[in-house]
Amino acid sequence: MKNNLKKILDKNKLSVSKLSQETGISRTTLRPIYYQEAFNVELNTLEKLCDYLHCKLSELIDYVPS
């Protein structure tokens, strides 16, 4: 699974710190997502990101079969 968080944040000129402050999601949780290092991200976290970024889950996450 690949995510587009970095791309979406860059497009909206947002930082991980700002995203953390605004969503209540810790930087410790966001950092691995941002750098494509996260495994097993909770659906609740993805929903918060989508709500804040006004995007669909399919825009945030790309499923890449192995």
Side-chain angles (χ1 to χ4, degrees):
M1 186 169 21
K2 180 183 172 213
N3 75 74
N4 297 309
L5 183 60
K6 182 178 182 340
K7 191 184 303 182
I8 294 169
L9 290 183
D10 289 349
K11 177 182 171 188
N12 292 297
K13 298 180 181 164
L14 291 169
S15 67
V16 171
S17 293
K18 176 75 171 174
L19 183 61
S20 175
Q21 291 171 355
E22 296 288 323
T23 61
I25 302 169
S26 72
R27 290 184 70 223
T28 306
T29 299
L30 291 172
R31 187 196 169 284
I33 299 169
Y34 183 84
Y35 287 108
Q36 303 288 332
E37 299 168 348
F39 297 98
N40 301 323
V41 179
E42 292 185 19
L43 183 57
N44 184 41
T45 300
L46 296 174
E47 288 175 335
K48 283 183 184 180
L49 291 173
C50 289
D51 287 345
Y52 180 77
L53 297 168
H54 306 289
C55 68
K56 295 179 183 178
L57 184 58
S58 61
E59 295 170 316
L60 181 62
I61 301 293
D62 289 330
Y63 174 70
V64 180
S66 48

XYZ file of all heavy atoms in Angstrom:
538
model
N 0.849 -1.170 0.000
C 0.000 0.000 0.000
C 0.895 1.233 0.000
O 1.895 1.288 0.692
C -0.882 -0.029 1.253
C -1.875 1.037 1.275
S -3.170 0.920 2.550
C -2.557 -0.126 3.783
N 0.536 2.179 -0.788
C 1.273 3.430 -0.898
C 0.310 4.556 -0.540
O -0.882 4.452 -0.776
C 1.767 3.585 -2.332
C 2.552 4.838 -2.582
C 2.935 4.946 -4.045
C 3.545 6.308 -4.251
N 3.279 6.863 -5.534
N 0.844 5.613 0.060
C -0.044 6.734 0.367
C 0.468 8.012 -0.285
O 1.638 8.110 -0.661
C -0.220 6.898 1.880
C 0.986 7.495 2.544
O 1.245 8.684 2.414
N 1.751 6.675 3.268
N -0.425 8.950 -0.407
C -0.131 10.221 -1.063
C -0.098 11.388 -0.078
O -0.302 12.527 -0.474
C -1.185 10.489 -2.138
C -1.154 9.445 -3.215
O -0.109 9.136 -3.771
N -2.300 8.845 -3.507
N 0.161 11.101 1.199
C 0.131 12.158 2.206
C 1.120 13.264 1.888
O 0.784 14.443 1.929
C 0.386 11.591 3.607
C 0.314 12.614 4.741
C -1.057 13.272 4.810
C 0.665 11.962 6.068
N 2.347 12.904 1.562
C 3.364 13.923 1.256
C 2.907 14.800 0.092
O 2.979 16.025 0.156
C 4.705 13.272 0.933
C 5.803 14.278 0.653
C 7.120 13.569 0.395
C 8.303 14.457 0.157
N 8.145 15.804 -0.234
N 2.405 14.168 -0.941
C 1.949 14.901 -2.128
C 0.801 15.857 -1.781
O 0.788 17.008 -2.203
C 1.494 13.900 -3.195
C 1.245 14.490 -4.550
C 0.707 13.463 -5.533
C 1.634 12.281 -5.684
N 1.157 11.294 -6.681
N -0.142 15.369 -0.982
C -1.302 16.188 -0.607
C -0.876 17.343 0.294
O -1.335 18.481 0.112
C -2.383 15.325 0.066
C -2.965 14.328 -0.952
C -3.485 16.185 0.657
C -3.840 13.247 -0.342
N 0.023 17.071 1.241
C 0.497 18.146 2.121
C 1.269 19.193 1.319
O 1.098 20.393 1.537
C 1.372 17.590 3.249
C 0.658 16.764 4.315
C 1.646 16.343 5.398
C -0.500 17.515 4.922
N 2.125 18.741 0.418
C 2.884 19.683 -0.415
C 1.947 20.555 -1.249
O 2.127 21.770 -1.337
C 3.853 18.937 -1.337
C 5.032 18.320 -0.605
O 5.242 18.637 0.594
O 5.741 17.500 -1.219
N 0.935 19.928 -1.833
C -0.032 20.662 -2.666
C -0.752 21.742 -1.856
O -1.010 22.840 -2.348
C -1.049 19.676 -3.240
C -2.132 20.305 -4.063
C -3.114 19.260 -4.541
C -4.318 19.907 -5.188
N -5.366 18.929 -5.491
N -1.067 21.422 -0.591
C -1.792 22.351 0.269
C -0.877 23.206 1.147
O -1.368 23.951 2.000
C -2.780 21.573 1.149
C -3.898 20.973 0.337
O -4.673 21.690 -0.276
N -3.968 19.662 0.305
N 0.427 23.074 0.919
C 1.428 23.840 1.665
C 1.243 23.676 3.180
O 1.217 24.641 3.929
C 1.412 25.305 1.256
C 1.762 25.490 -0.201
C 1.749 26.925 -0.626
C 2.095 26.981 -2.104
N 1.781 28.222 -2.719
N 1.093 22.407 3.590
C 0.930 22.073 4.998
C 2.122 21.263 5.478
O 2.715 20.512 4.708
C -0.338 21.233 5.207
C -1.659 21.929 4.988
C -2.794 20.907 4.959
C -1.903 22.936 6.097
N 2.436 21.395 6.745
C 3.515 20.609 7.339
C 2.924 19.494 8.196
O 1.754 19.538 8.589
C 4.398 21.494 8.209
O 3.666 21.940 9.343
N 3.764 18.520 8.510
C 3.346 17.443 9.404
C 2.999 18.022 10.776
O 2.031 17.611 11.411
C 4.438 16.360 9.504
C 4.113 15.344 10.590
C 4.614 15.649 8.168
N 3.760 19.002 11.226
C 3.489 19.637 12.524
C 2.114 20.299 12.542
O 1.352 20.143 13.493
C 4.564 20.675 12.857
O 5.788 20.046 13.065
N 1.790 21.037 11.506
C 0.488 21.702 11.404
C -0.631 20.661 11.351
O -1.658 20.800 12.014
C 0.457 22.602 10.162
C -0.854 23.279 9.889
C -1.105 24.415 10.816
C -2.336 25.200 10.362
N -2.700 26.227 11.301
N -0.417 19.609 10.560
C -1.403 18.548 10.450
C -1.632 17.895 11.814
O -2.771 17.642 12.202
C -0.935 17.506 9.432
C -1.881 16.356 9.124
C -3.194 16.857 8.542
C -1.215 15.375 8.167
N -0.574 17.668 12.549
C -0.677 17.089 13.885
C -1.473 17.991 14.814
O -2.369 17.530 15.528
C 0.727 16.839 14.448
O 0.658 16.380 15.768
N -1.158 19.270 14.807
C -1.859 20.233 15.671
C -3.345 20.298 15.340
O -4.183 20.347 16.238
C -1.257 21.633 15.510
C 0.126 21.777 16.061
C 0.752 23.115 15.671
O 0.186 23.900 14.907
N 1.944 23.380 16.199
N -3.665 20.309 14.078
C -5.044 20.490 13.638
C -5.907 19.233 13.795
O -7.114 19.338 13.979
C -5.076 20.944 12.171
C -4.454 22.303 11.937
C -5.301 23.444 12.470
O -6.533 23.371 12.379
O -4.714 24.413 12.977
N -5.285 18.047 13.689
C -6.058 16.807 13.730
C -5.982 16.093 15.076
O -6.811 15.223 15.353
C -5.572 15.810 12.657
O -4.197 15.482 12.925
C -5.731 16.372 11.264
N -4.965 16.424 15.867
C -4.770 15.711 17.121
C -4.044 14.389 16.943
O -3.878 13.626 17.892
N -3.601 14.105 15.727
C -2.824 12.897 15.456
C -1.364 13.227 15.759
O -0.838 14.225 15.276
C -2.966 12.453 13.979
C -4.426 12.210 13.629
C -2.126 11.216 13.708
C -4.691 12.025 12.145
N -0.720 12.394 16.548
C 0.648 12.695 16.972
C 1.617 12.692 15.790
O 1.409 11.975 14.799
C 1.127 11.695 18.023
O 1.373 10.431 17.433
N 2.669 13.475 15.918
C 3.725 13.490 14.900
C 4.374 12.113 14.799
O 4.807 11.708 13.733
C 4.764 14.557 15.223
C 4.203 15.961 15.033
C 5.249 17.030 15.263
N 6.215 16.984 14.185
C 7.535 17.083 14.357
N 8.056 17.246 15.549
N 8.340 17.043 13.325
N 4.419 11.403 15.918
C 4.990 10.049 15.946
C 4.191 9.115 15.043
O 4.746 8.207 14.430
C 4.977 9.494 17.393
O 5.631 10.427 18.245
C 5.648 8.161 17.481
N 2.904 9.327 14.937
C 2.046 8.535 14.052
C 2.142 9.029 12.618
O 2.198 8.228 11.674
C 0.577 8.601 14.525
O 0.500 8.053 15.839
C -0.358 7.853 13.594
N 2.181 10.340 12.422
C 2.177 10.914 11.073
C 3.495 10.730 10.322
O 3.487 10.524 9.112
C 1.836 12.404 11.138
C 0.404 12.732 11.539
C 0.248 14.230 11.750
C -0.572 12.219 10.499
N 4.596 10.831 11.034
C 5.907 10.770 10.388
C 6.096 9.505 9.546
O 6.460 9.587 8.374
C 7.028 10.904 11.418
C 8.385 11.016 10.780
C 9.500 10.749 11.788
N 10.762 10.597 11.124
C 11.152 9.511 10.455
N 10.354 8.477 10.347
N 12.321 9.462 9.870
N 5.844 8.300 10.098
C 6.017 7.099 9.259
C 5.053 7.041 8.072
O 5.401 6.512 7.024
C 5.757 5.934 10.213
C 5.746 6.505 11.579
C 5.529 7.968 11.469
N 3.868 7.604 8.239
C 2.932 7.642 7.108
C 3.509 8.545 6.019
O 3.547 8.180 4.845
C 1.533 8.131 7.552
C 0.933 7.202 8.599
C 0.601 8.260 6.342
C -0.318 7.738 9.275
N 3.960 9.706 6.423
C 4.519 10.686 5.494
C 5.700 10.107 4.699
O 5.823 10.326 3.506
C 4.961 11.909 6.293
C 5.494 13.048 5.471
C 4.647 13.971 4.886
C 6.868 13.216 5.298
C 5.139 15.032 4.140
C 7.377 14.275 4.564
C 6.507 15.175 3.988
O 6.999 16.226 3.246
N 6.546 9.344 5.378
C 7.749 8.790 4.743
C 7.559 7.371 4.198
O 8.537 6.686 3.905
C 8.926 8.823 5.716
C 9.450 10.212 5.934
C 9.240 10.869 7.138
C 10.123 10.894 4.929
C 9.705 12.162 7.343
C 10.596 12.181 5.117
C 10.384 12.806 6.317
O 10.845 14.090 6.512
N 6.318 6.935 4.048
C 6.008 5.628 3.471
C 6.601 4.477 4.287
O 6.966 3.433 3.743
C 6.531 5.529 2.018
C 6.042 6.570 1.069
C 4.587 6.394 0.681
O 4.058 5.294 0.678
N 3.935 7.484 0.371
N 6.719 4.650 5.585
C 7.296 3.628 6.458
C 6.251 2.980 7.360
O 6.581 2.108 8.156
C 8.391 4.250 7.331
C 9.538 4.835 6.550
C 10.460 5.692 7.388
O 10.098 6.038 8.540
O 11.549 6.025 6.900
N 5.012 3.406 7.274
C 3.969 2.950 8.196
C 3.350 1.631 7.729
O 3.144 1.409 6.541
C 2.882 4.004 8.312
N 3.071 0.791 8.716
C 2.335 -0.443 8.485
C 1.142 -0.450 9.431
O 1.219 0.046 10.544
C 3.219 -1.664 8.771
C 4.407 -1.751 7.864
C 5.646 -1.299 8.277
C 4.280 -2.273 6.590
C 6.743 -1.368 7.435
C 5.371 -2.346 5.742
C 6.614 -1.895 6.167
N 0.036 -1.011 8.988
C -1.142 -1.154 9.843
C -1.652 0.169 10.411
O -1.853 0.293 11.616
C -0.865 -2.133 10.979
C -0.489 -3.499 10.467
O -1.037 -3.954 9.467
N 0.433 -4.143 11.129
N -1.838 1.146 9.583
C -2.383 2.430 10.021
C -3.859 2.222 10.358
O -4.602 1.614 9.579
C -2.233 3.508 8.924
C -2.830 4.820 9.379
C -0.766 3.663 8.535
N -4.273 2.714 11.496
C -5.659 2.534 11.926
C -6.611 3.304 11.011
O -6.311 4.414 10.574
C -5.831 3.023 13.360
C -5.118 2.161 14.372
C -5.395 2.582 15.789
O -6.402 3.290 16.024
O -4.601 2.209 16.659
N -7.755 2.706 10.771
C -8.767 3.331 9.918
C -9.203 4.676 10.498
O -9.417 5.635 9.752
C -9.973 2.404 9.744
C -11.072 2.903 8.823
C -10.539 3.209 7.429
C -12.191 1.882 8.741
N -9.292 4.759 11.805
C -9.661 6.008 12.473
C -8.686 7.134 12.103
O -9.094 8.271 11.849
C -9.691 5.795 13.995
C -10.155 7.016 14.730
O -11.078 7.691 14.306
N -9.510 7.294 15.845
N -7.410 6.812 12.050
C -6.385 7.795 11.676
C -6.576 8.236 10.230
O -6.529 9.435 9.917
C -4.978 7.202 11.867
O -4.813 6.840 13.239
C -3.893 8.178 11.451
N -6.807 7.282 9.347
C -7.021 7.603 7.933
C -8.275 8.458 7.744
O -8.273 9.394 6.936
C -7.121 6.317 7.110
C -5.862 5.457 7.075
C -6.145 4.149 6.350
C -4.700 6.194 6.438
N -9.315 8.158 8.494
C -10.547 8.948 8.412
C -10.315 10.384 8.855
O -10.798 11.324 8.222
C -11.648 8.312 9.254
C -12.204 7.043 8.666
C -13.210 6.361 9.581
O -13.168 6.554 10.811
O -14.054 5.621 9.039
N -9.569 10.570 9.942
C -9.253 11.925 10.412
C -8.465 12.691 9.358
O -8.714 13.878 9.121
C -8.442 11.875 11.707
C -9.239 11.571 12.931
C -8.327 11.617 14.153
C -9.054 11.226 15.412
N -8.160 11.267 16.585
N -7.503 12.013 8.740
C -6.702 12.665 7.695
C -7.578 13.068 6.520
O -7.488 14.199 6.031
C -5.576 11.739 7.230
C -4.466 11.475 8.224
C -3.509 10.410 7.701
C -3.710 12.758 8.543
N -8.424 12.167 6.068
C -9.307 12.462 4.934
C -10.262 13.603 5.256
O -10.477 14.486 4.425
C -10.086 11.221 4.520
S -9.070 9.968 3.715
N -10.821 13.594 6.451
C -11.732 14.670 6.854
C -11.017 16.012 6.844
O -11.523 16.998 6.301
C -12.316 14.415 8.246
C -13.352 13.313 8.265
O -13.839 12.920 7.176
O -13.670 12.831 9.371
N -9.836 16.064 7.431
C -9.098 17.325 7.513
C -8.629 17.792 6.133
O -8.687 18.979 5.819
C -7.900 17.193 8.455
C -7.120 18.478 8.555
C -7.597 19.532 9.326
C -5.942 18.650 7.852
C -6.907 20.726 9.397
C -5.237 19.843 7.921
C -5.726 20.881 8.693
O -5.043 22.060 8.758
N -8.161 16.861 5.319
C -7.607 17.207 4.008
C -8.673 17.289 2.918
O -8.356 17.594 1.765
C -6.533 16.181 3.616
C -5.320 16.132 4.545
C -4.478 14.906 4.238
C -4.507 17.414 4.446
N -9.930 17.026 3.281
C -11.042 17.063 2.329
C -10.747 16.200 1.102
O -10.839 16.652 -0.042
C -11.356 18.500 1.890
C -11.594 19.424 3.027
N -12.727 19.354 3.811
C -10.835 20.417 3.553
C -12.650 20.282 4.755
N -11.514 20.930 4.619
N -10.374 14.950 1.379
C -10.102 14.022 0.287
C -10.756 12.682 0.589
O -11.154 12.410 1.718
C -8.600 13.858 0.067
S -7.714 13.007 1.389
N -10.869 11.862 -0.420
C -11.404 10.517 -0.268
C -10.263 9.585 0.131
O -9.091 9.857 -0.171
C -11.998 10.032 -1.588
C -13.191 10.831 -2.040
C -13.696 10.300 -3.354
C -14.849 11.146 -3.854
N -15.331 10.694 -5.156
N -10.608 8.493 0.762
C -9.604 7.509 1.153
C -8.831 7.018 -0.067
O -7.623 6.831 -0.018
C -10.257 6.336 1.887
C -9.324 5.278 2.442
C -8.315 5.879 3.418
C -10.117 4.177 3.115
N -9.526 6.868 -1.186
C -8.876 6.406 -2.419
C -7.872 7.423 -2.968
O -6.980 7.054 -3.732
C -9.921 6.071 -3.480
O -10.687 7.212 -3.800
N -7.998 8.689 -2.583
C -7.027 9.704 -2.987
C -5.806 9.685 -2.066
O -4.710 10.016 -2.489
C -7.660 11.088 -2.957
C -8.768 11.258 -3.970
C -9.554 12.541 -3.778
O -9.896 12.896 -2.633
O -9.831 13.196 -4.800
N -6.037 9.291 -0.832
C -4.954 9.246 0.157
C -4.140 7.964 0.029
O -2.914 7.983 0.127
C -5.526 9.377 1.561
C -4.533 9.365 2.713
C -3.568 10.542 2.622
C -5.274 9.388 4.048
N -4.820 6.846 -0.212
C -4.177 5.532 -0.245
C -4.281 4.925 -1.629
O -5.354 4.885 -2.215
C -4.855 4.579 0.766
C -4.788 5.132 2.174
C -4.255 3.187 0.680
C -3.417 5.218 2.765
N -3.146 4.426 -2.130
C -3.130 3.658 -3.374
C -2.821 2.216 -3.021
O -1.836 1.938 -2.341
C -2.024 4.147 -4.320
C -2.308 5.505 -4.927
O -3.496 5.818 -5.116
O -1.355 6.232 -5.206
N -3.670 1.306 -3.455
C -3.401 -0.107 -3.224
C -2.500 -0.605 -4.338
O -2.833 -0.509 -5.515
C -4.699 -0.913 -3.178
C -4.437 -2.387 -3.095
C -3.917 -2.940 -1.922
C -4.696 -3.220 -4.153
C -3.650 -4.284 -1.838
C -4.438 -4.582 -4.074
C -3.906 -5.107 -2.910
O -3.641 -6.441 -2.829
N -1.345 -1.119 -3.941
C -0.392 -1.670 -4.903
C -0.197 -3.132 -4.540
O 0.441 -3.446 -3.531
C 0.966 -0.917 -4.826
C 1.939 -1.495 -5.837
C 0.764 0.575 -5.040
N -0.767 -4.052 -5.326
C -0.626 -5.469 -4.993
C 0.836 -5.896 -5.046
O 1.607 -5.391 -5.854
C -1.442 -6.191 -6.052
C -1.908 -5.187 -7.013
C -1.519 -3.826 -6.528
N 1.173 -6.842 -4.178
C 2.575 -7.285 -4.132
C 2.882 -8.385 -5.109
O 2.198 -8.899 -5.819
C 2.934 -7.762 -2.745
O 1.966 -8.636 -2.236
